[in-house]
Amino acid sequence: MKTIKGLFAALAGVLLLSSTSTIAQEQTRPEFVTITTMHWNMDNKDFKMEEWKAVEKEYLDKVTMKNEHVVAASFYLHRMTPDNTELVYVQSYPSWEAIGKAATRNAELEKASWPDEKARKTFLKKRDAYYSPMHSDEIYATMSNAKPMTAKPTLDMICYVRKGHFAYGDGTDEEFDAISKEYFDNVTNKNEFIKGYYPMAHAWGSDRTEFLEAYFFDSMADLEKMFDRDTELFEAHWKDEASRKSMAEKGAKYFDNRHGDYIYTYVAGLAK
């Protein structure tokens, strides 16, 4: 059922790949998300997590929180991923144009917050010293059928990311829309262990087939419980084997069988 769950959750946003105007029509959510995968500077022998948090908190308060072009921003630390040196920085924006404007605004706010050039360079150098020069950037388009968190978290959370890939073949927009919404309404949205769910599709980057689903949980235990609860909800809505098989067959042509799983710690104190 884990495969069935991921399969149908993926369908929640496929329609937007062929119709970006749908995104623009939904003014209640950001339009784009940038994901920067960074790496710790492993040569920094004096690294202390609390000191890193303090530096990033200062930048958050003085710059990011005041940047009107950034809707949200957050850090994610490696928990179960292929590379223990990585950390991920995510920002969301109301439009494509806002991405460029945000960078310009950051520079303005940095000068305003540290008007003395020497002090500003010292702080930014200290901040940069935590990270390796190597990083990668991807931009994703947000999707419908998200389950936003009801309040900004005050404690660290578990973030489970499922990276899948769309297949481009037979199918119709109408069928996409119908089966994705039906699954979301009756399974994902009803699963009480899922505190937040955010689907995203590739907009700019290395792989146009990429599809990301970010799930938020209070604990690792709740992540495990999600799968069993999904099964219960799935079987409660599609009550017989024939209807379950029909749903699976409809969805199968819209994605391929590749996916990757990643688990991060969402850092509550470093989020906008």
Side-chain angles (χ1 to χ4, degrees):
M1 185 54 67
K2 291 185 182 182
T3 301
I4 296 292
K5 185 246 154 245
L7 185 164
F8 289 109
L11 295 173
V14 178
L15 186 62
L16 294 179
L17 291 174
S18 60
S19 180
T20 55
S21 63
T22 304
I23 299 173
Q25 291 168 6
E26 295 190 18
Q27 299 300 319
T28 58
R29 72 169 191 264
E31 187 172 350
F32 293 102
V33 173
T34 62
I35 297 182
T36 301
T37 300
M38 303 183 293
H39 299 270
W40 296 115
N41 175 9
M42 303 306 287
D43 293 326
N44 186 350
K45 305 303 181 183
D46 296 323
F47 175 84
K48 293 181 178 63
M49 181 61 72
E50 292 307 313
E51 291 181 1
W52 167 73
K53 288 182 178 180
V55 169
E56 285 297 350
K57 183 65 164 60
E58 183 175 357
Y59 191 88
L60 172 71
D61 292 341
K62 293 181 176 180
V63 179
T64 310
M65 293 296 290
K66 297 178 181 180
N67 192 326
E68 64 273 23
H69 303 296
V70 178
V71 176
S74 47
F75 277 98
Y76 300 81
L77 305 181
H78 155 87
R79 194 177 184 99
M80 292 183 183
T81 71
D83 187 347
N84 70 308
T85 72
E86 75 176 6
L87 68 158
V88 178
Y89 185 52
V90 178
Q91 297 181 91
S92 58
Y93 304 88
S95 66
W96 186 270
E97 293 75 20
I99 298 174
K101 291 179 180 178
T104 301
R105 184 63 174 141
N106 277 348
E108 295 172 351
L109 289 165
E110 287 170 4
K111 290 182 179 179
S113 298
W114 296 276
D116 180 77
E117 184 177 4
K118 184 178 179 180
R120 181 170 66 253
K121 287 183 176 180
T122 297
F123 176 83
L124 295 177
K125 183 178 180 180
K126 180 180 180 181
R127 182 176 182 242
D128 288 344
Y130 286 104
Y131 310 112
S132 163
M134 180 177 66
H135 76 273
S136 62
D137 299 290
E138 303 282 344
I139 303 177
Y140 296 90
T142 62
M143 294 180 168
S144 58
N145 294 327
K147 182 179 182 178
M149 284 188 278
T150 56
K152 183 178 177 180
T154 57
L155 299 174
D156 291 355
M157 298 187 74
I158 297 298
C159 179
Y160 163 57
V161 177
R162 190 178 195 277
K163 183 183 293 187
H165 298 270
F166 293 119
Y168 296 87
D170 297 331
T172 66
D173 286 352
E174 291 77 16
E175 185 177 56
F176 275 143
D177 191 33
I179 61 179
S180 62
K181 188 176 188 306
E182 186 176 7
Y183 184 88
F184 175 79
D185 288 345
N186 292 286
V187 180
T188 306
N189 202 37
K190 290 183 178 180
N191 192 324
E192 64 272 22
F193 297 109
I194 301 173
K195 302 306 180 184
Y197 170 71
Y198 302 89
M200 293 169 275
H202 163 274
W204 182 89
S206 58
D207 187 349
R208 71 181 289 265
T209 72
E210 209 168 74
F211 171 71
L212 254 58
E213 299 169 273
Y215 298 80
F216 288 82
F217 304 91
D218 288 332
S219 66
M220 287 292 292
D222 283 357
L223 169 57
E224 287 298 318
K225 292 174 183 176
M226 171 193 71
F227 295 111
D228 290 337
R229 183 60 174 143
D230 273 354
T231 300
E232 293 172 358
L233 291 165
F234 182 82
E235 293 178 350
H237 183 70
W238 290 275
K239 298 182 183 301
D240 58 82
E241 190 60 33
S243 63
R244 294 167 198 159
K245 182 179 179 181
S246 175
M247 184 66 167
E249 289 176 348
K250 288 178 182 178
K253 58 180 174 285
Y254 296 122
F255 62 96
D256 66 25
N257 292 320
R258 297 174 296 152
H259 83 272
D261 300 290
Y262 309 82
I263 300 178
Y264 299 93
T265 298
Y266 164 87
V267 185
L270 297 181
K272 178 178 181 179

